[in-house]
């Protein structure tokens, strides 16, 4: 069974509240004032003073110019738009076409501001960094070439797009070329827009290729052909062998729960079991199996557009360094306080049903 990459690496919560009407002492209506800590994206200077960049120190002026010395690292610009949710995190994964010396950090700036941030991964400044993973031969001890640039956004943002520029620097003082990252900011919704989403949900069922509803938790069985040679089981390799059919693996989803909070936080808990035939423990009369359980907990933010009925999910794992930051959108087809049906915009071949827990 295919796991539905449902909700799923940068993102954030909250935007400014929709204005509400209230009665004053004279019986008239007045609009609720804009929150005093609201930041407008067209004011890049104010925005730069409100964001926090992981392991970064704010410094006046532009990003230092690229060096021309031999061995200077070269960054490749990613043309894809990065999604983020206000109040949460922008996550950017730099890509290199070339680097030689140990990468130590980055210079990061909001385009249009008058400051830049010097990111030094060897110093922790209020952010957590995941323990180093097993590195291949390209990586050297202390190298941060695989690190993400993480920017914590303020809660109340008016506007929807901005650009960041960044450059890498290495242990020899080389500074790379400067590249851009384009970011789309999604706002927190008013209470009327998101109230039905708030709470815990279970992924219940999905449609098949013919539009027929299927139980999401029915195990998926794969079969293959085996042969018995000298009293031992092996896979059937050719037509000369005497082969028999058997179950090669059984995959079963055991849990797929989602949670949405009224602070636009999102979490997804997925677990499944995989049973595979163990050839060394199997006999010609009986196939034996080994079972492993796979679990995954991901966190991020969500935003909903009540006019288009489109929800944006951004998995940012609360700004902690993981490899899998991503975002996607789903279209809400039907919604009640107890049930939601939806379809992913990047894969409309099936519909998913959620039920309130």
């Amino acid at each position: 069974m295919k796991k539905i990459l449902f909700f799923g690496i940068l993102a954030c919560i909250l935007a400014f509240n929709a204005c509400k009407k209230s009665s004053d002492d004279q019986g008239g209506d007045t609009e609720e004032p804009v929150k005093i800590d609201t930041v407008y994206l067209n004011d890049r200077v104010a925005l730069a003073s409100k964001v926090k960049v992981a392991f970064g120190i704010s410094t006046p002026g532009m990003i230092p110019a690229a060096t021309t010395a031999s061995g200077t690292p070269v960054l490749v610009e990613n043309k894809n738009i990065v999604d983020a949710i206000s109040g949460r995190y922008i996550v950017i994964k730099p890509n290199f076409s070339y680097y030689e010396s140990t990468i130590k950090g980055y210079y990061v700036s909001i385009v249009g501001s008058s400051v830049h941030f010097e990111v030094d991964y060897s110093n922790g400044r209020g952010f957590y960094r995941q323990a180093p993973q097993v590195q291949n031969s390209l990586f050297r001890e202390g190298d941060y070439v695989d690190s993400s640039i993480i920017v914590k956004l303020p809660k109340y943002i008016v506007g929807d797009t901005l650009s960041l520029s960044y450059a890498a620097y290495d242990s020899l003082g080389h500074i790379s070329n400067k590249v851009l990252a384009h970011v789309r900011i999604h706002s927190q919704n008013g209470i009327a827009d998101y109230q039905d989403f708030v709470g815990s949900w279970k992924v219940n069922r999905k449609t098949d290729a013919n539009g027929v509803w299927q139980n999401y938790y029915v195990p998926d069985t794969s079969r293959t052909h085996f042969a018995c040679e000298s009293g031992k089981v092996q896979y059937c390799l050719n037509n000369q062998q005497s082969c028999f059919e058997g179950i090669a693996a059984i995959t079963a989803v055991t849990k797929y729960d989602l949670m949405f909070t009224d602070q636009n936080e999102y979490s997804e808990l997925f677990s499944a079991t995989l049973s595979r035939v163990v050839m060394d423990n199997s006999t010609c009369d009986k196939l034996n199996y080994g079972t492993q359980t796979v679990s995954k907990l991901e966190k991020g933010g969500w935003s909903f557009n009540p006019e288009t009925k489109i929800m944006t999910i951004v998995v940012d794992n609360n700004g902690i360094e993981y490899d899998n930051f991503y975002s996607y959108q789903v279209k809400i087809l039907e919604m009640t306080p107890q049930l939601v049906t939806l379809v992913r915009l990047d894969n409309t071949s099936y519909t998913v049903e959620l039920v309130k827990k």
Side-chain angles (χ1 to χ4, degrees):
M1 175 179 295
K2 278 171 122 180
K3 175 191 177 298
I4 304 172
L5 293 178
F6 177 68
F7 286 146
I9 301 224
L10 130 89
C12 314
I13 41 176
L14 245 64
F16 76 108
N17 280 1
C19 294
K20 298 186 292 185
K21 296 286 187 178
S22 61
S23 298
D24 57 23
D25 294 339
Q26 306 302 318
D29 289 337
T30 60
E31 289 189 349
E32 182 178 311
V34 175
K35 293 181 180 295
I36 59 174
D37 51 355
T38 295
V39 177
Y40 294 85
L41 284 186
N42 58 5
D43 188 346
R44 300 292 200 257
V45 174
L47 179 63
S49 70
K50 296 291 186 179
V51 301
K52 295 180 180 179
V53 179
F55 314 103
I57 294 179
S58 178
T59 304
M62 306 298 290
I63 291 176
T67 56
T68 58
S70 175
T72 295
V74 179
L75 282 168
V76 177
E77 183 171 322
N78 187 338
K79 301 294 185 180
N80 295 327
I81 294 178
V82 176
D83 285 295
I85 296 177
S86 57
R88 295 190 63 81
Y89 303 89
I90 299 172
V91 181
I92 299 168
K93 194 78 170 178
N95 292 311
F96 291 84
S97 63
Y98 168 80
Y99 70 97
E100 191 170 291
S101 299
T102 300
I103 301 298
K104 303 300 292 183
Y106 297 91
Y107 297 106
V108 184
S109 178
I110 295 173
V111 175
S113 71
S114 57
V115 301
H116 70 274
F117 295 84
E118 182 175 347
V119 176
D120 180 358
Y121 288 117
S122 65
N123 294 310
R125 300 187 179 94
F127 283 79
Y128 171 80
R129 189 169 193 278
Q130 185 185 23
Q133 303 300 301
V134 177
Q135 296 178 335
N136 64 34
S137 59
L138 289 177
F139 297 149
R140 296 164 290 278
E141 184 177 358
D143 202 346
Y144 298 103
V145 68
D146 59 336
S147 293
S148 298
I149 295 170
I150 301 175
V151 180
K152 180 69 164 63
L153 290 168
K155 288 184 176 181
Y156 307 108
I157 296 177
V158 179
D160 57 6
T161 58
L162 65 100
S163 295
L164 302 177
S165 61
Y166 58 95
Y169 64 91
D170 64 17
S171 58
L172 299 180
H174 299 144
I175 301 173
S176 77
N177 58 313
K178 185 168 59 176
V179 296
L180 292 175
H182 305 286
V183 183
R184 180 189 296 115
I185 306 296
H186 300 270
S187 300
Q188 182 194 22
N189 310 108
I191 189 70
D193 297 333
Y194 64 61
Q195 185 58 51
D196 284 345
F197 287 115
V198 174
S200 298
W201 298 82
K202 174 186 176 181
V203 177
N204 189 42
R205 57 181 184 163
K206 72 181 184 74
T207 58
D208 62 15
N210 298 315
V212 178
W213 286 107
Q214 303 290 325
N215 186 335
Y216 191 77
Y217 300 91
V218 173
D220 183 24
T221 301
S222 62
R223 307 180 71 89
T224 190
H225 287 85
F226 299 91
C228 185
E229 296 287 342
S230 303
K232 294 185 177 182
V233 177
Q234 60 181 244
Y235 288 109
C236 188
L237 301 177
N238 53 61
N239 295 331
Q240 282 70 47
Q241 291 181 302
S242 178
C243 301
F244 62 93
E245 187 181 49
I247 296 175
I250 302 174
T251 305
V253 176
T254 56
K255 182 183 287 289
Y256 205 165
D257 292 345
L258 314 170
M259 179 177 288
F260 303 91
T261 77
D262 58 4
Q263 296 297 302
N264 284 60
E265 297 169 332
Y266 165 80
S267 62
E268 170 186 332
L269 177 61
F270 174 86
S271 63
T273 58
L274 174 61
S275 298
R276 289 176 175 164
V277 64
V278 180
M279 307 294 274
D280 291 342
N281 295 339
S282 296
T283 67
C284 296
D285 298 323
K286 182 181 179 181
L287 297 175
N288 288 316
Y289 298 84
T291 301
Q292 67 179 113
T293 299
V294 178
S295 296
K296 180 180 68 173
L297 174 63
E298 293 188 330
K299 296 184 177 182
W302 64 278
S303 180
F304 178 62
N305 185 324
E307 295 181 358
T308 62
K309 304 298 182 184
I310 292 176
M311 174 183 283
T312 300
I313 302 294
V314 181
V315 175
D316 59 27
N317 290 310
N318 294 343
I320 297 175
E321 283 243 41
Y322 288 103
D323 289 333
N324 54 332
F325 295 100
Y326 59 92
S327 63
Y328 58 93
Q329 293 182 312
V330 297
K331 176 85 177 241
I332 306 300
L333 304 178
E334 179 186 0
M335 180 158 199
T336 71
Q338 299 300 320
L339 182 145
V340 174
T341 58
L342 49 83
V343 62
R344 275 188 63 148
L345 295 188
D346 59 355
N347 186 354
T348 59
S349 60
Y350 56 82
T351 300
V352 179
E353 179 186 82
L354 312 180
V355 293
K356 200 70 163 282
K357 293 188 68 177

